Amino acid sequence: MQTDGRQESQNERADRNWNELLQELRVMQTGVQILTGFLLTLPFQSRFADLDRYQVVVYLALVVAAVIATALIVAPVSVHRALFRKQMKRSIVTLADRITRAALGALALVITGASLLVFDVVVGRTAGIVAGAAALVVMAVLWVLLPEILRRRS
């Protein structure tokens, strides 16, 4: 077992990992709440009626992705509640980690799609595609590539 120099039991490590994961979920939750709130207000704007079919489809896909991201971000807490006091903390932390990784993927799709939609509406289709692709590349570099580089260096 790889050690990081801490003198802690497996239960203490699981508790610490759970608390760290909860802090990460709080950060993600704020971003998803803001994006979902933004998306849910759009149909009530007068300009929404001017969207073309492509923009409406992108919008509806974003609402679905935002709902999925929200469900994934809340899921670890729900799992914890369902399994509270069942001596399953390590399993809960492992499952919550996997769910949180999926939530990051869903959040990346929402951010990408929101960038695409806003640029498409304001500037045009090509700008929307470029903005969405750029957002996806930035997140892939920051959220996937950089951590992988650090992991390999250690």
Side-chain angles (χ1 to χ4, degrees):
M1 181 170 135
Q2 187 176 2
T3 180
D4 58 6
R6 290 186 171 100
Q7 299 296 322
E8 59 188 4
S9 69
Q10 287 184 346
N11 286 338
E12 289 170 331
R13 180 178 298 262
D15 288 340
R16 181 177 52 80
N17 288 341
W18 176 251
N19 287 327
E20 289 175 6
L21 184 62
L22 285 179
Q23 292 302 321
E24 294 166 2
L25 289 169
R26 285 183 183 109
V27 170
M28 287 175 53
Q29 182 182 12
T30 302
V32 169
Q33 285 176 328
I34 291 168
L35 281 170
T36 303
F38 161 74
L39 290 170
L40 294 177
T41 63
L42 288 181
F44 303 102
Q45 306 302 314
S46 60
R47 191 161 175 213
F48 189 80
D50 297 337
L51 297 182
D52 64 28
R53 182 166 173 74
Y54 169 82
Q55 293 165 335
V56 170
V57 168
V58 169
Y59 168 75
L60 292 174
L62 285 172
V63 170
V64 169
V67 167
I68 291 169
T70 301
L72 288 168
I73 287 169
V74 174
V77 175
S78 177
V79 168
H80 183 264
R81 282 292 93 211
L83 300 175
F84 185 64
R85 293 189 178 162
K86 304 289 187 212
Q87 285 71 47
M88 297 181 65
K89 181 65 75 76
R90 287 180 54 200
S91 297
I92 293 168
V93 171
T94 299
L95 177 60
D97 172 64
R98 291 179 181 146
I99 293 170
T100 302
R101 290 174 190 271
L104 280 168
L107 178 58
L109 291 177
V110 175
I111 294 169
T112 297
S115 300
L116 182 149
L117 182 61
V118 168
F119 275 80
D120 185 87
V121 169
V122 174
V123 183
R125 184 78 19 100
T126 301
I129 292 169
V130 169
L136 187 59
V137 167
V138 166
M139 284 179 284
V141 167
L142 294 174
W143 296 3
V144 179
L145 186 60
L146 284 179
E148 182 61 22
I149 289 169
L150 286 174
R151 186 186 67 78
R152 288 183 184 200
R153 285 186 182 168
S154 70

